[in-house]
Amino acid sequence: MSDNRITFFLDGEPCSAQPGQTILQAAQPHQAIPHLCCSDRPGFKSDGNCRACVVEIEGERALAPSCRREVSEGMRVNSAGSERVQRNRARLLELLVSDLPNGRSSEEHQQLHHWAGALGVSHSRFPGGDAQFDDLSHSAIRVNHSACINCQLCRQACQDLQVNRVIGLSGRGTEARIGFDLDDPLGDSTCVACGECVQACPTGALLPAAPLSRQPVEQRVHSICPYCGVGCQLEYQVSNDRIIAVDGRSGPSNEGRLCVKGRFGFDYINHADRLRVPLVRREDAPPKGAPFDPAERDRYFREASWEEALERACEGLVRLKHQHGASALAGLGSAKGSNEEAYLFQKLVRTGFGSNNVDHCTRLCHASSVAALLEGIGSGAVTASFMQVVNAEVAIVIGCNPESNHPVAANLFKQAARNGTQLVVIDSRGHSLREHASHLLQLTPGSDVALLNAMLHVIIRESLYDHRFVAERLEGFDALQAHLDDYSPEAMAPLCGIDAERIREVARLFARAERAMIFWGMGISQHTHGTDNVRCLIALALLCGQVGRPGTGLHPLRGQNNVQGASDAGLIPMMLPDYQRVDNAEARARFEQLWQSPLAAQPGLTVVEMIDAIHHDQIRGMYIMGENPAMSDPDLNHSRQALARLEHLVVQDLFITETAAYADVILPASAWPEKSGTVTNTNRQVQLGRPAVSLPGQCRQDWWIIQAIAQGMGLDWAYPGPEAIYREMQQAMPSLTHIDRERLERENSVTYPCPTPDGEGTDVLFADRFPTASGKARLVAATLLPPDETCDSQYPLILSTGRLLEHWHTGAMTRRSRVLDTLEPGAIVCAHPLTLREWKLQAGEAVRVESRRGAMKALLRADEAVPPGSLFIPFCFAEGAANLLTNPKLDPFGKIPEFKYCAVRLAPTPPPNSLD
Ligand SMILES: Nc1nc2c(c(=O)[nH]1)N[C@H]1C(S)=C(S)[C@@H](COP(=O)(O)OP(=O)(O)OC[C@H]3O[C@@H](n4cnc5c(=O)[nH]c(N)nc54)[C@H](O)[C@@H]3O)O[C@H]1N2
Ligand SMILES: Nc1nc2c(c(=O)[nH]1)N[C@H]1C(S)=C(S)[C@@H](COP(=O)(O)OP(=O)(O)OC[C@H]3O[C@@H](n4cnc5c(=O)[nH]c(N)nc54)[C@H](O)[C@@H]3O)O[C@H]1N2
Ligand SMILES: [Mo]
């Protein structure tokens, strides 16, 4: 690098630069040159049109924009040292400031204010603009066109970085200005409020609609987003112990980007509903299960000291264990907390409660994926990061909706598609990624095994599989080949609703690709045949040799910010940390030694099994941290009755959730921005979260509360903090080798497995062997099974449930975030316009949806993406809870319920005659 450096002169001083650098870049280490239209972030191009960065180049008459000109050997540049340059810059900034209210800039004008201040421009002498916020139509972002300098950074952020295509130029010449879609008000446009434009805007023309505070930023804290498994790195801007804004930081999985939740969804931590004091159920409270009205909290609960609350919490747990044995207790840990908390929680259940009755939301999520992956390739995590999509020729995106659920990963998919990756989207709903897809296969809900087996059939019949890979690295080929005989595309087409020729085309496309990946989500996993679905995907990738190289791989998009980490840490009833089976005596002995405690050999109960066990009086007491099963479990009437039946329930959360309403003791815990700890994202990246603000009221750290419960149950724990817990985890979990806390402090993110103390972790796994006994992967055949509950004349509509971009699961956090709640304020049922017509209903009308298990009410929304004959209901709204309807029947391997398919009807409108 040093060999070909060049020398130039900045205000007379010799400076060294790399060839190709702009003057602005080369000057950076020596002198900050004002600049607005040129971003410091990679991925942006500068048009050089703001001219705030002009410099004088000796030998040239006109001043030159330093962001556009490259340095050259011997070039003599005059910048801050030149009066002419400084005068010019100041005049330019004064002109820009003149458009602002009263001809003055303020903190909210961002870099413009900063540079105006630096050049001594306190106000403008030019006539001022009218400068109101001229577009207040959007609840997340306000627009002031008069502060806009047409620098185009917002357009680049929207179009190139996020690939959202909302911001463009409207008008011509000097009239040209940024516009949204067809020059619509922002609130009416297709904007998804990711706020990337706000982050890019240097002048405050685009700003958060309602900043939480106008005070100057006092502190900037680097951490991780608490929402999805992408694990975006971010910077909290803190003032007066409050988060006032959030910007993306350049982490490996987000490269500076965020989505609407990561940028605008943090005020939940300050919401009036936030628990601030421990609560205990009043002796004279209405019976559990009576409708709970949060406004009448004091009829149900009373405030207690920590001492009293903990004593009550532990007394109940100890008593039930004493009376009924260890198996009478169970715990649900959290994928929203840190690795350290998840590890402590499972250790508490295993060594304190004395059983393996510990689980978490992974059971409702990718449990079937993990079951199939462990069986097939010996490892449940992704084989490659989603960033590998840019190296793939073909990527199958099946049963997931990344634009709403992993938005920042979706942006990378869209960028890859723009650069030539063919995206094959396979989903029962019309898909938001479809505009970027080369193929959209809208299959019949629940028919993935039919479609995928037909693809496998083609690949084997046409000998398109990777013969060497099959011979050297796989077991079970002959059995699979024989099994697939009956699954020709012609035979499967009527079942899955995809044309036989189309099936052939996609099978050939995937098999012939040099590098191909498969991404999947809940549309695959949340079925009673979820494990079978994933077996087919594994077979597809393996047969074609699409694992172990860059641009290849199997990637179940993990959902919660820390569901990978919580699973790794052992929040699973059959697994100790790092997937050591509890019924493996050798593994157990190792943990008995480390924890100095006997361990139960019998696998524990899973989430939905626990609910049934409560009904059978097998489980009598529970400790639930950071989960909301009274909203997220299937068949809520059944699970809520179970929660009411518990003799003792301890809930540790941020709010009085629907679950906490059943509690005997409620412990006010720490929100993510208040804690220190590690989380592991979908890409196996272990990342460090840092506290930005202090705990409100009497809230305590989650790890501290878990430890206090452990002590109350007689365990001699004395962890001083998360660092000590992490050190113990490293002893227990080989996956964390070489990923020390100190290293994370420096690097923020390290991928596991990491083979050396300071080298990079391994992104693409299994180049040579699989972590199975034989080193080979196993192909497992899947037979066709219909969904557990199919439609009939009584219940003629298929119900599928899932998510909305703006809300998180049960809404506990996002419905308490102003911007997010305003964008999606209430319960909805989505149906195709044809379905509405058939049922003689109008969009906007309130309807009742009924299944064999329950009923709910919501407003109808017309949505052409939902197939006719189906309904889609997001499960985030308590007043219209989708899970009152869903079917709790489980996949036999993953023990995951069938959230994606059950039979319902709309009422009171009678079903049309055609369906009798
Ligand atoms: N905004 C937001 N983002 C989230 C979450 C959230 O609550 N809100 N939750 C996070 C969590 S924990 C998870 S697990 C992920 C989930 O992320 P996704 O897996 O994307 O979850 P779903 O919304 O449930 O969507 C699943 C997709 O499957 C499709 N589908 C339904 N049935 C079938 C079928 O039979 N076959 C096929 N092929 N497709 C089908 C649906 O149409 C939908 O597009 O999202 C994470 N991200
Ligand atoms: N119908 C239907 N149901 C589903 C699904 C579906 O697609 N359809 N998807 C399933 C899936 S994939 C999942 S992952 C589950 C999710 O189900 P849950 O995990 O039950 O849902 P969340 O709303 O994420 O619950 C998280 C809880 O943790 C609290 N919390 C947040 N941060 C912290 C913290 O730092 N400390 C503590 N102590 N508490 C905290 C929140 O207030 C909230 O109450 O839902 C499942 N249920
Ligand atoms: Mo999930």
Side-chain angles (χ1 to χ4, degrees), residues 99-140:
D99 279 336
L100 302 175
N102 309 320
R104 275 176 198 280
S105 69
S106 69
E107 278 288 330
E108 75 175 21
H109 301 108
Q110 318 273 322
Q111 281 116 289
L112 176 55
H113 180 63
H114 169 80
W115 292 119
L119 287 161
V121 180
S122 60
H123 68 281
S124 175
R125 295 160 298 167
F126 299 105
D130 46 3
Q132 294 308 311
F133 277 95
D134 56 5
D135 181 348
L136 298 173
S137 58
H138 198 289
S139 48

Side-chain angles (χ1 to χ4, degrees), residues 462-590:
E462 299 186 6
S463 197
L464 298 173
Y465 56 93
D466 182 335
H467 290 253
R468 220 179 92 188
F469 200 88
V470 168
E472 291 174 6
R473 305 204 46 195
L474 304 186
E475 289 166 354
F477 178 77
D478 294 341
L480 181 70
Q481 181 174 26
H483 171 79
L484 288 170
D485 263 356
D486 300 336
Y487 291 87
S488 69
E490 283 69 23
M492 293 302 108
L495 298 179
C496 65
I498 308 292
D499 225 48
E501 253 334 285
R502 188 78 165 159
I503 299 178
R504 288 211 158 78
E505 181 194 347
V506 171
R508 289 173 190 147
L509 177 76
F510 184 84
R512 287 182 181 144
E514 185 60 33
R515 296 171 304 280
M517 293 188 80
I518 304 179
F519 297 93
W520 74 91
M522 300 299 101
I524 284 293
S525 64
Q526 290 174 336
H527 286 282
T528 44
H529 53 272
T531 307
D532 281 336
N533 285 343
V534 182
R535 285 173 174 148
C536 294
L537 293 176
I538 296 171
L540 187 59
L542 290 176
L543 271 186
C544 302
Q546 298 294 11
V547 173
R549 292 172 292 122
T552 70
L554 287 161
H555 192 119
L557 281 158
R558 304 310 301 259
Q560 292 266 28
N561 56 329
N562 197 33
V563 66
Q564 183 63 55
S567 305
D568 297 343
L571 271 188
I572 303 187
M574 37 279 189
M575 316 275 193
L576 293 155
D578 261 0
Y579 306 93
Q580 302 297 301
R581 288 204 57 101
V582 293
D583 47 15
N584 171 342
E586 201 189 313
R588 228 173 34 248
R590 250 197 339 271

Side-chain angles (χ1 to χ4, degrees), residues 410-668:
N411 298 331
L412 208 66
F413 292 2
K414 292 188 274 184
Q415 273 187 344
R418 187 186 269 185
N419 294 331
T421 302
Q422 302 211 50
L423 290 185
V424 179
V425 171
I426 307 179
D427 202 286
S428 48
R429 259 194 303 170
H431 210 285
S432 50
L433 264 188
R434 67 176 170 266
E435 280 176 40
H436 307 265
S438 61
H439 298 72
L440 171 67
L441 272 51
Q442 202 173 339
L443 83 176
T444 306
S447 69
D448 297 79
V449 171
L451 172 70
L452 296 168
N453 271 353
M455 286 173 65
L456 293 169
H457 174 101
V458 173
I459 289 167
I460 292 185
R461 276 293 165 89
E462 299 186 6
S463 197
L464 298 173
Y465 56 93
D466 182 335
H467 290 253
R468 220 179 92 188
F469 200 88
V470 168
E472 291 174 6
R473 305 204 46 195
L474 304 186
E475 289 166 354
F477 178 77
D478 294 341
L480 181 70
Q481 181 174 26
H483 171 79
L484 288 170
D485 263 356
D486 300 336
Y487 291 87
S488 69
E490 283 69 23
M492 293 302 108
L495 298 179
C496 65
I498 308 292
D499 225 48
E501 253 334 285
R502 188 78 165 159
I503 299 178
R504 288 211 158 78
E505 181 194 347
V506 171
R508 289 173 190 147
L509 177 76
F510 184 84
R512 287 182 181 144
E514 185 60 33
R515 296 171 304 280
M517 293 188 80
I518 304 179
F519 297 93
W520 74 91
M522 300 299 101
I524 284 293
S525 64
Q526 290 174 336
H527 286 282
T528 44
H529 53 272
T531 307
D532 281 336
N533 285 343
V534 182
R535 285 173 174 148
C536 294
L537 293 176
I538 296 171
L540 187 59
L542 290 176
L543 271 186
C544 302
Q546 298 294 11
V547 173
R549 292 172 292 122
T552 70
L554 287 161
H555 192 119
L557 281 158
R558 304 310 301 259
Q560 292 266 28
N561 56 329
N562 197 33
V563 66
Q564 183 63 55
S567 305
D568 297 343
L571 271 188
I572 303 187
M574 37 279 189
M575 316 275 193
L576 293 155
D578 261 0
Y579 306 93
Q580 302 297 301
R581 288 204 57 101
V582 293
D583 47 15
N584 171 342
E586 201 189 313
R588 228 173 34 248
R590 250 197 339 271
F591 279 93
E592 287 178 334
Q593 173 71 27
L594 178 68
W595 293 340
Q596 292 292 302
S597 164
L599 294 174
Q602 161 120 16
L605 298 175
T606 62
V607 171
V608 182
E609 289 173 338
M610 286 177 190
I611 295 293
D612 291 333
I614 299 170
H615 281 290
H616 296 128
D617 288 337
Q618 189 189 333
I619 286 183
R620 293 162 187 271
M622 280 188 80
Y623 175 22
I624 301 180
M625 164 191 165
E627 291 235 323
N628 192 6
M631 280 291 290
S632 58
D633 270 10
D635 190 6
L636 285 183
N637 286 324
H638 182 70
S639 34
R640 288 176 180 175
Q641 278 158 14
L643 293 171
R645 189 179 175 87
L646 281 172
E647 289 169 41
H648 189 61
L649 173 60
V650 180
V651 170
Q652 174 173 330
D653 206 291
L654 311 178
F655 307 103
I656 305 186
T657 58
E658 292 72 19
T659 303
Y662 295 93
D664 296 276
V665 183
I666 307 180
L667 304 170

Side-chain angles (χ1 to χ4, degrees), residues 335 361-366 406 522 525-526 557-560 563 803 808-809 875:
C361 66
T362 190
R363 191 65 40 207
L364 309 174
C365 186
H366 267 302
H406 298 87
M522 300 299 101
S525 64
Q526 290 174 336
L557 281 158
R558 304 310 301 259
Q560 292 266 28
V563 66
R803 302 163 162 75
W808 193 257
H809 292 148
F875 72 105

